[in-house]
Structure formats: C-alpha cells, structure tokens
C-alpha cells in the first residue's frame, strides 16, 4: 500500500498544507457549475459572447452570487475556495489574454514582477511551507495569514 | 513482436508550446530549457519509434467535470489539438494506432485495469507539448501516438503504485502484440510546481532530483510515495509525477539513463526530462550515450 486507505484520514491530511486547496470531491461538487461555465470558454463564439457582456453570459449558469462576483472580480483564491479548479479557471484567464504565470501570481499576494523574480531565483522554497501544524508548533505560519 | 525500447519523461508546460509555435525557443529565457532537449531530438531522429504510448493528463480539455476517467486509452484513428482558450495550437494532427491501442486496452482489462476507451477526443498541451519538445516542428509527427490519459486533477488520483503496475501491464500487452514495432513509453507532467493559492510557485529542486535518481537503476522505491508527500514537497501540481511511474513500470526491472535535464524556472515550474533504456539483458539495441559519456556532459 502507498498511503492511508481510510478515506477520512486521507482527506483530512490535505487540510494541513499551507496555502493550498486540494481539489477534492467536496470542492468538485461545490464548483461543478463554475467549472463547467469556465469550460464553455473553450469555444471562440462563447469567448466573444462573454467578453461582450460578462454578466449577461453568466445568467446562463447556475452560479451562486459569491461565485458570480468572484468571477467578475477575477478573485482566483476566492474562486478556489468556492470550488473552482485552476485548469478550468485557466479558460477564464486565457480569455483575458493572461498567461498562467500572470494569473497564478495574483493568488500569491505578490506583484507579477516580484513573483517572476522569485521564480527566476529558483521558486518558492518548501522550507516552512509543508505543514500548518508544524509551522504552528514553530510559531510561524506565513501563508495562512494571507 | 512489438517491443518497448525506451522510456522518456518530460514536463509538459504550456508556455513551451507557445515558445515553440512563436519561434521564441532561442530567446535567452527559453534557450536553457530547449537546449536540454537538443540531445533527445537528435536521438529520436535516429531511433525512429513506430509508436509512442504517451501518458499525460488532460487539463479540462477533452474531459470536463461530466466524465472523470482515472485511466483512459485513446483507440481512435486521429486526434486534433484542443482549443484551450486561445485557439488550437498550429501543430500537426496526432495519428493514433488503433490496432495496438485496442490490443493494449483488451490486455489491460484482462489484467484487471478498468480502462476507459476513447475513440474521439481532442488532445491538449499535455500531449502536444512533449511531441514538440522531442520532435521539433515537422509537417507531420514522425510516429503514431497512443494517448493514455490519467486523472491527476480530481482527488484521489491513482496511487503511484497503481501507476507503476499499469506500466508493467502495458509492457506485457505490448510484448504480446505480433507486429514488429519499436514502441516507446513517455511519462509527462511534473516536476515540482503549484499553480494555485498563496503557496503558488513552490519549487523543490532537491526532491525533484531525488525523484529523477530513483527512476534510474532497479529500485522501485518511488512507487510507494504517498499523494500527501507529492502535495507537501512538490506543490499541488507535482502529483503529475505519478504519470512518470507508468513509464517507469513499463521499463521492467532495470533501467539505464541515456540523458537527463533539469532547469528552473519554466513559467511556474521546474522542467525535468529523462531518457531511459530498459536494461533487462534482453539484447535490445543499446544505441545512445554510454554512461561514461553522460557523466562527462
């Protein structure tokens, strides 16, 4: 065996990773309509309709008010919390003409320039980023303050 | 008889498709990334594989939330590049090998792998970027491709152990196909990267290089890495490395490294690339760099 076989233990462990939303079944269910909306943007005609009037386009999708407002605001962390998945949300930021790196940087609290500099410098170090519990024991929790 | 002659592992970063398509591969940012594939492009031109079994994950292109297959095998004649939101990549269509693909699908199901069979789908950057990295920009791809899609998006993905065992079953399936074919297995995705949340940008070079080390030789320790370790150590999208274990499982007991490349950064990720020979005393053609030559690189 390669890990816990108890599904409750398996899922609970994901809550201990700083600054990370693992795309579990619970999130997949919560974000179903949101992610399927994003998927619709794979068609050029839908991208054109969305760009012409975002609110009008979103009426066709059974989203919550929170999901709709977070989409309009391009608040990607909020969208992840509301069940969005980055590969689906990528259809939104590609429609906006943004690169993966540009969109991803908006989730980090850093400017794109600072984010890019961090990546060129070797990326975000895993030190202090592995476990919320371990960080709590050490008295530091940098990402959870975001 | 068909035989597996090599295994290739590679990241499949979408930005590399953009760089290749827009001719930016010589720019200072991209040159160190693409340079690590120069050896492989020359080697592939000499190897001339007939078929590549290309293990990749679909990024919400062919499969949306309506259907989430854990393991899916493409048995179709042809696949078109997907429109991922900025129009389809202008690269050749991908030619399948339905006879071999159906043979593998049947053999895997008898081996108790519950495969989803796909006859029509588009293929996204997960599949087309590795083709560009390994073959450059030909008018048609130089070999047939059997797409093998693994769910690594919605949890739980398959375990590393299961992926390794799938590779072992693929090897058995290929070796029971009567036609004489030179077959490669590619594992794509990875290495360390996180594309979401406040921890985005995580890179763990030390862990990545230990993983690369573990693919070479006869150890099977990598198959026992739990999902939680990939998540903690390599970022939420580092889980894609389980797909490299399908390739490794297909190599048999022992492997010999022909080429290795690692570079940070490429967009949000670390680029990892490895070319392996199955080295099981089977008298396969062992062309390619010798270990001493690689050490001198």
């Amino acid at each position: 065996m390669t890990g816990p076989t108890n599904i409750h233990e398996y899922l609970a462990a994901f809550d201990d990773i700083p600054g990370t939303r693992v795309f579990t079944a619970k999130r997949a269910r919560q974000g179903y309509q949101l992610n399927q909306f994003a998927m619709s943007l794979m068609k050029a005609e839908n991208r054109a309709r969305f760009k012409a009037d975002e609110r009008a386009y979103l009426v066709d999708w059974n989203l919550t008010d929170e999901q709709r407002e977070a989409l309009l605001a391009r608040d990607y962390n909020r969208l992840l919390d509301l069940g969005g998945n980055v590969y689906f949300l990528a259809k939104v930021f590609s429609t906006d003409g943004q690169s993966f790196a540009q969109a991803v940087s908006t989730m980090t609290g850093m400017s794109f320039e600072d984010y890019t500099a961090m990546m060129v410098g070797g990326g975000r170090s895993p030190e202090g980023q592995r476990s919320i519990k371990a960080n709590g024991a050490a008295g530091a929790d940098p990402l959870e303050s975001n | 008889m068909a035989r597996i002659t090599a295994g290739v592992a590679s990241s499949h970063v979408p930005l590399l498709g953009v760089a290749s398509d827009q001719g930016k591969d010589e720019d200072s940012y991209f040159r160190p990334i693409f340079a690590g594939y120069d050896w492989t492009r020359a080697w592939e031109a000499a190897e001339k594989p007939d078929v590549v079994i290309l293990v990749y994950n679909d990024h919400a292109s062919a499969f949306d939330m309506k259907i989430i297959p854990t393991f899916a095998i493409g048995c179709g004649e042809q696949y078109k590049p997907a429109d991922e939101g900025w129009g389809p990549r202008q690269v050749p269509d991908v030619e399948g090998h339905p006879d071999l693909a159906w043979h593998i699908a049947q053999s895997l199901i008898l081996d108790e792998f519950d495969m989803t069979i796909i006859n029509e789908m588009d293929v996204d950057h997960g599949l087309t970027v590795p083709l560009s990295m390994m073959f450059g920009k030909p008018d048609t791809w130089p070999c047939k491709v059997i797409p093998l899609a693994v769910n690594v998006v919605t949890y739980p993905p398959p375990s590393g152990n299961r992926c390794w065992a799938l590779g072992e079953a693929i090897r058995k399936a290929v070796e029971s196909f009567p036609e004489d074919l030179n077959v490669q297995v590619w594992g794509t995705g990875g290495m360390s990267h996180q594309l979401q949340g406040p921890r985005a940008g995580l890179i763990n070079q030390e862990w990545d290089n230990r993983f690369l080390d573990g693919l070479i030789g006869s150890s099977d320790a990598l198959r026992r890495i739990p999902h939680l370790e990939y998540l903690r150590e390599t970022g939420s999208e580092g889980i894609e490395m389980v797909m490299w274990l399908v390739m490794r499982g297909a190599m048999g007991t022992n492997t010999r490294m022909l080429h290795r490349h690692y570079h940070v950064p490429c967009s949000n990720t670390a680029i990892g690339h490895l070319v392996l020979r199955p080295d099981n005393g089977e008298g396969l053609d062992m062309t390619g760099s010798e270990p001493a030559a690689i050490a001198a690189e």
Side-chain angles (χ1 to χ4, degrees):
Chain A
M1 299 314 297
T2 56
T5 52
N6 178 311
I7 188 65
H8 304 293
E9 289 173 17
Y10 175 83
L11 294 172
F14 297 156
D15 292 333
D16 184 47
I17 304 170
T20 303
R21 281 82 160 171
V22 180
F23 194 59
T24 56
K26 186 180 174 187
R27 286 205 170 88
R29 188 173 168 193
Q30 182 189 14
Y32 186 83
Q33 288 285 331
L34 172 62
N35 289 319
Q36 293 300 81
F37 145 74
M39 200 70 192
S40 74
L41 299 178
M42 286 180 72
K43 292 199 169 81
E45 63 266 31
N46 289 343
R47 293 196 287 273
R49 277 181 56 213
F50 179 66
K51 281 184 182 175
D53 188 340
E54 295 191 4
R55 278 189 187 275
Y57 187 85
L58 290 175
V59 167
D60 292 347
W61 298 90
N62 186 22
L63 304 175
T64 66
D65 290 344
E66 278 181 300
Q67 288 171 331
R68 190 173 294 110
E69 293 310 313
L71 262 178
L72 292 169
R74 304 296 194 268
D75 183 345
Y76 287 111
N77 278 335
R78 188 83 189 116
L79 288 166
L80 294 172
D81 283 336
L82 298 172
N85 173 276
V86 71
Y87 292 127
F88 290 82
L89 297 175
K91 319 304 181 200
V92 180
F93 58 72
S94 61
T95 298
D96 287 342
Q98 275 196 318
S99 70
F100 248 97
Q102 282 174 314
V104 165
S105 71
T106 68
M107 306 180 209
T108 63
M110 304 170 79
S111 68
F112 180 51
E113 290 70 27
D114 288 349
Y115 179 80
T116 304
M118 176 179 79
M119 296 315 296
V120 170
R124 185 187 301 280
S125 166
E127 291 308 316
Q129 311 286 359
R130 293 183 171 95
S131 161
I132 294 168
K133 280 183 206 149
N135 290 349
D141 209 347
L143 289 180
E144 288 312 293
S145 63
N146 281 324
Chain B
M1 300 293 274
R3 64 207 186 282
I4 293 176
T5 57
V8 174
S10 176
S11 307
H12 57 210
V13 186
L15 186 64
L16 294 182
V18 176
S20 172
D21 298 346
Q22 298 182 356
K24 292 180 178 171
D25 33 326
E26 295 295 328
D27 288 7
S28 59
Y29 183 84
F30 290 108
R31 188 60 210 146
I33 299 166
F34 279 85
Y37 291 83
D38 288 346
W39 183 93
T40 311
R41 272 192 296 280
W43 172 80
E44 287 285 10
E47 288 283 304
K48 295 187 174 56
D50 298 304
V51 186
V52 166
I53 299 169
L54 205 160
V55 185
Y56 76 112
N57 65 294
D58 179 80
H59 302 76
S61 301
F63 310 130
D64 58 17
M65 293 306 291
K66 287 179 189 167
I67 299 175
I68 306 166
T70 296
F71 293 124
I73 182 165
C75 296
E77 301 276 355
Q78 199 176 56
Y79 313 92
K80 290 193 176 303
D83 182 343
E84 299 180 57
W86 49 83
R89 286 192 68 204
Q90 298 300 307
V91 292
D93 289 353
V94 173
E95 300 293 327
H97 195 305
D99 287 342
L100 179 59
W102 273 110
H103 171 82
I104 292 171
Q106 295 171 96
S107 179
L108 291 177
I109 291 166
L110 284 183
D111 263 337
E112 301 180 347
F113 287 87
D114 306 313
M115 304 301 294
T116 299
I117 291 160
I118 307 288
N119 286 308
E120 291 184 32
M121 66 174 173
D122 291 344
V123 289
D124 70 14
H125 72 266
L127 187 133
T128 63
V129 166
L131 290 173
S132 296
M133 299 311 286
M134 260 43 94
F135 296 137
K137 303 174 192 178
D139 293 333
T140 57
W141 299 120
C143 65
K144 306 287 179 72
V145 176
I146 297 176
L148 197 149
V150 179
N151 167 47
V152 289
V153 175
T154 306
Y155 274 70
S159 68
N161 186 50
R162 189 67 176 154
C163 288
W164 190 296
L166 178 67
E168 291 172 330
I170 288 170
R171 177 184 174 86
K172 184 178 151 194
V174 169
E175 289 177 348
S176 64
F177 189 70
E179 198 178 330
D180 182 27
L181 292 173
N182 176 353
V183 179
Q184 295 185 358
V185 182
W186 296 5
T188 75
M191 302 196 80
S192 61
H193 63 306
Q194 174 148 342
L195 301 177
Q196 50 107 349
R199 199 175 73 144
L202 189 101
I203 300 286
N204 192 337
Q205 302 193 25
E206 189 187 343
W207 198 99
D208 285 344
N209 278 289
R210 275 207 309 274
F211 189 86
L212 289 169
D213 292 342
L215 291 164
I216 304 157
S218 59
S219 168
D220 70 347
L222 299 183
R223 69 195 293 170
R224 286 181 283 278
I225 299 170
H227 291 159
L228 185 63
E229 181 173 334
Y230 289 101
L231 283 159
R232 278 201 205 286
E233 297 290 337
T234 73
S236 49
E237 277 62 50
I239 192 68
E240 291 180 346
M241 279 182 273
V242 296
M243 295 186 291
W244 293 26
L245 300 182
V246 179
M247 177 278 288
R248 177 61 191 84
M251 293 300 103
T253 310
N254 200 30
T255 66
R256 185 163 66 81
M257 184 188 74
L258 300 187
H259 180 65
R260 178 173 179 162
H261 172 52
Y262 184 80
H263 177 80
V264 177
C266 174
S267 185
N268 302 281
T269 87
I271 271 279
H273 170 43
L274 199 62
V275 180
L276 298 173
R277 279 279 189 224
D279 195 4
N280 303 302
E282 295 152 323
L284 289 173
D285 171 21
M286 289 292 173
T287 54
S289 300
E290 292 300 317
I294 292 162
E297 275 183 7

